[in-house]
Amino acid sequence: GVEPGRSQREKPLSYKINQWCMDARLYEIPLSEAKIVRTALDIYETSAQTKGMYLSSSLILHKVLSNIIARPSEDKFRCLRTSNPRIGDILIVYGASQVLEAVGFELRMHDEHGEEMFLPFVESARVPVQLAVLQLAADRLDHQRTKVVEAGASSSSRGQQQQHSCSECRRHINDGTERLFSGRWDAPRGEYRYACEDCAAYHLCESCWDAFLAGRGRHPRHHRFRAVAPRTQRHNVYGDNPWAGAFAGGHGGAA
């Protein structure tokens, strides 16, 4: 990914050192490794051009690390092909490759698949440290994602009545509220949500809807879907009563 301009203040060195020491003690890893992982994560967390880009990338990255932690002896979880679109969604954010390198991934060329990132196996005595480093990165990603989601829900609660996630890829479906109310030029654009009318809570994002139409979805083909357009105006954002915002606490006259 390309490094965008930084918009957040640099953390004081004393604060960083305190974080490194706490991580080293908590995860029982060398201080030098705690520093490398934290530094890479700090770059990654502050470099995404949009919140949506970070949430999408970090969700997949967290899944990659969690798979290795759960099944560390399986080769398939340690190999990431850069040509894979989902891995591309990780690496598009500046700092993601640094996070992978910080936890031990190495870039190599494969005869058949081309460029890939691989996490080498280590000697048995170092396995606990490798897993602890992966756990540190996974925990930090999960913590930061929660903060970003909660901050977004709080800032857009005035307009967004309900949060929806895609039932297939689990990605948050952006309804356009953030861009509409924040006025930020770099806020992600809203997207269509496709709601199944035959199921209680089944929603598809635009990408998974296209896959469903192409016959790759797992959902029953005969179910009916309703397309929900992203928000483009602030009209009637206070619920069913379009006058609730203008006459809050007052009384509307009879027509």
Side-chain angles (χ1 to χ4, degrees):
V2 179
E3 181 179 14
R6 295 299 182 83
S7 60
Q8 298 188 10
R9 294 178 59 186
E10 187 74 11
K11 297 176 182 176
L13 180 59
S14 58
Y15 178 81
K16 292 181 179 180
I17 293 175
N18 185 51
Q19 284 187 321
W20 303 336
C21 293
M22 288 179 60
D23 288 341
R25 289 195 299 268
L26 180 61
Y27 291 90
E28 298 181 344
I29 59 177
L31 179 61
S32 59
E33 298 205 30
K35 175 183 177 181
I36 291 172
V37 173
R38 269 284 187 170
T39 301
L41 285 167
D42 286 342
I43 294 172
Y44 176 62
E45 291 166 4
T46 58
S47 293
Q49 287 91 338
T50 67
K51 181 181 71 175
M53 182 183 291
Y54 173 78
L55 290 175
S56 177
S57 173
S58 62
L59 178 64
I60 304 171
L61 182 53
H62 182 271
K63 182 66 174 177
V64 166
L65 301 181
S66 298
N67 283 340
I68 300 173
I69 294 169
R71 284 161 284 190
S73 61
E74 295 191 28
D75 279 346
K76 66 178 182 179
F77 295 121
R78 291 173 170 262
C79 183
L80 309 177
R81 298 175 188 171
T82 56
S83 58
N84 184 327
R86 289 182 67 80
I87 301 305
D89 287 343
I90 298 177
L91 300 177
I92 195 174
V93 177
Y94 182 83
S97 59
Q98 286 92 325
V99 173
L100 290 170
E101 291 170 1
V103 299
F105 276 86
E106 299 175 358
L107 189 64
R108 70 180 186 182
M109 292 298 297
H110 192 279
D111 294 337
E112 296 181 9
H113 309 302
E115 192 177 80
E116 63 183 18
M117 298 195 75
F118 179 73
L119 181 64
F121 289 94
V122 295
E123 57 188 26
S124 57
R126 183 167 162 72
V127 168
V129 175
Q130 185 183 63
L131 293 178
V133 168
L134 290 168
Q135 190 66 61
L136 164 60
D139 289 348
R140 176 64 192 179
L141 284 169
D142 187 54
H143 174 72
Q144 185 64 16
R145 273 182 53 80
T146 300
K147 285 177 58 179
V148 171
V149 170
E150 289 178 349
S154 175
S155 64
S156 64
S157 60
R158 176 186 173 193
Q160 177 118 13
Q161 302 300 317
Q162 187 175 1
Q163 302 281 337
H164 295 282
S165 295
C166 178
S167 300
E168 288 295 322
C169 69
R170 305 301 177 186
R171 184 175 61 83
H172 170 68
I173 301 176
N174 176 26
D175 74 345
T177 298
E178 180 185 1
R179 188 181 184 91
L180 183 64
F181 281 89
S182 69
R184 290 174 44 223
W185 65 270
D186 60 343
R189 294 184 180 277
E191 61 178 312
Y192 274 84
R193 171 171 58 90
Y194 298 87
C196 180
E197 296 190 324
D198 296 313
C199 298
Y202 187 88
H203 310 275
L204 292 177
C205 65
E206 292 179 350
S207 297
C208 291
W209 173 250
D210 290 340
F212 176 75
L213 292 181
R216 298 194 298 272
R218 299 176 296 175
H219 204 65
R221 302 287 299 173
H222 63 278
H223 280 198
R224 300 166 299 164
F225 278 85
R226 173 172 53 91
V228 181
R231 279 195 164 155
T232 57
Q233 56 181 323
R234 303 188 187 191
H235 177 69
N236 197 18
V237 298
Y238 295 93
D240 295 331
N241 178 7
W243 308 110
F247 298 104
H251 300 281

